[in-house]
Amino acid sequence: MERQFENVRAMVAALTPSYPVYCLRPQVLRRAATRFLELFPGRVLFAVKCNPHPAVLRILYEAGIRHFDTASLPEIAQVRESYPDAGAYFMHPVKSRAAIQAATRIYGVDTFTVDHPDELNKVLDQAGGGEGVTIMVRIKTPPVEGVLYHLAGKFGAEPLDAAGMLKEAHARGCQVGLAFHVGSQCLVPEAYGKALAICGDVIEQAGTPLNYLDVGGGFPAEYVGTNIPPLEAYMSEIEKGAKALKLRRDCVLMCEPGRALVAEAMSSVVQVQLRKDERLYINDGVYGSFSEMVTAGIRLPAEMVRLNGGAATREMKSFTLMGPTCDSVDVLPGTFELPADIHEGDWIEIDRLGAYSFANTTRFNGFYPDTLVTCLDEPLGRRQAA
Ligand SMILES: *Cc1c(COP(=O)(O)O)cnc(C)c1O
């Protein structure tokens, strides 16, 4: 079990860490899971790739999440070995034959996503047909303004091809479903309605009733400078869109949130190793927890933590944060407002780092954030004034 602290300050006082420390907030994670489970009219799968830390999976499991979107054999092994009564779904549209075999025979996985007829044949070859196997056909959805990543750029079948695969899988006795992903950090609830309308076209062309309909992930998290629609707006769009499809009554609706479940539940506490004027050299960077500041342009809230040497000045200044590796691109984009007298040895808590941070770290230059504690305080910007 991870060490637990009342708040970030208590953690810093106890560890005085010269290495970056993730602060996971179990209560925040539990609240996000409970909200999704209450609001979504179907099965909620956590997208493991977003944050595969064992503590994250454990807290989500304890909060009632029993289904996991997995993309690789290691992710499947992690879920099935830790939680034998939980379901792992093999949602990567491109899989090795060995991975399909092991997933089926060793881990009892029965649900596979495909987006190409050759992949469908591969899965049927390795897993066999029949109603013990579920084939999810991933469709392409149109690009949406206001998403960080167009996940449809890489995967997804055209409607006509998708209809063909549904028919084929159905003919082989499999259970069938449709899936899509509108793109991560999707700020437009209507994108789900549009994608569901395309599902309607595919269902009509195929004439095959669906056992499952999976609306994917993409639900947004609140960062600095974002203004996200409430989760309820997404849910009502999905309910409206699904209702219009005249699905069979026992068709199971699924979703695969990653970011929206975990983004707010984890921060990172870094230490200032050197100050050069308005540049602060810290011990984590874009090859570590902060790659999404570059790849997705997200901006994160930050606050200084100082133990000794008196209170910080009230005067604030804009600082650039420099990562620890020798690469000159290892600089966090934008600036951070921090006390003007911040100096070597002070700590900075940088928040909203639950999604695609720990998951994306490299070992470049030997810098690798791997310490995680739990903290019982609220995220930055949500704390009561002291
Ligand atoms: C990454 C991914 C998710 C999670 O996406 P978020 O934007 O983090 O919600 C869900 N499903 C699939 C298939 C994915 O690839």
Side-chain angles (χ1 to χ4, degrees), residues 47 49 69 138 151 181 184-185 217-219 256-259 356:
K49 78 166 187 287
D69 162 6
R138 169 117 167 227
L151 282 93
H181 196 301
S184 205
Q185 184 74 0
F219 307 95
E256 307 167 347
R259 186 187 301 280
Y356 307 108

Side-chain angles (χ1 to χ4, degrees), residues 281-329:
Y281 289 75
I282 59 172
N283 51 9
D284 196 2
V286 303
Y287 290 97
S289 308
F290 301 109
S291 63
E292 268 213 323
M293 295 192 77
V294 178
T295 56
I298 60 166
R299 296 192 43 224
L300 306 169
E303 196 171 286
M304 186 182 83
V305 183
R306 176 177 290 165
L307 289 183
N308 311 307
T313 160
R314 283 173 182 276
E315 190 199 335
M316 302 293 271
K317 234 179 167 163
S318 300
F319 289 92
T320 304
L321 301 188
M322 320 292 285
T325 71
C326 301
D327 190 336
S328 48
V329 309

Side-chain angles (χ1 to χ4, degrees), residues 187-204:
L187 299 177
V188 234
E190 295 72 29
Y192 292 83
K194 285 185 185 153
L196 284 166
I198 298 173
C199 291
D201 297 342
V202 175
I203 295 168
E204 201 152 295

Side-chain angles (χ1 to χ4, degrees), residues 6-120:
E6 274 311 301
N7 53 44
V8 162
R9 188 167 234 346
M11 181 281 287
V12 170
L15 305 181
T16 59
S18 63
Y19 44 88
V21 177
Y22 291 120
C23 294
L24 176 66
R25 300 194 158 88
Q27 74 284 10
V28 177
L29 191 50
R30 275 196 292 273
R31 284 202 299 262
T34 304
R35 216 166 122 66
F36 248 97
L37 289 167
E38 281 174 4
L39 287 180
F40 188 74
R43 200 175 280 182
V44 178
L45 283 64
F46 173 57
V48 172
K49 78 166 187 287
C50 186
N51 191 331
H53 197 286
V56 169
L57 294 200
R58 188 188 69 239
I59 293 161
L60 288 173
Y61 180 86
E62 287 166 1
I65 301 280
R66 289 292 181 275
H67 307 277
F68 295 87
D69 162 6
T70 49
S72 65
L73 213 46
E75 287 185 356
I76 290 168
Q78 187 185 357
V79 167
R80 296 286 297 153
E81 288 175 10
S82 309
Y83 307 103
D85 70 331
Y89 299 66
F90 208 157
M91 297 308 208
H92 197 306
V94 183
K95 300 163 284 298
S96 75
R97 286 180 183 268
I100 300 166
Q101 273 182 32
T104 317
R105 290 176 205 167
I106 300 175
Y107 296 111
V109 172
D110 60 9
T111 302
F112 301 88
T113 293
V114 302
D115 73 348
H116 191 276
D118 292 349
E119 181 76 10
L120 174 59

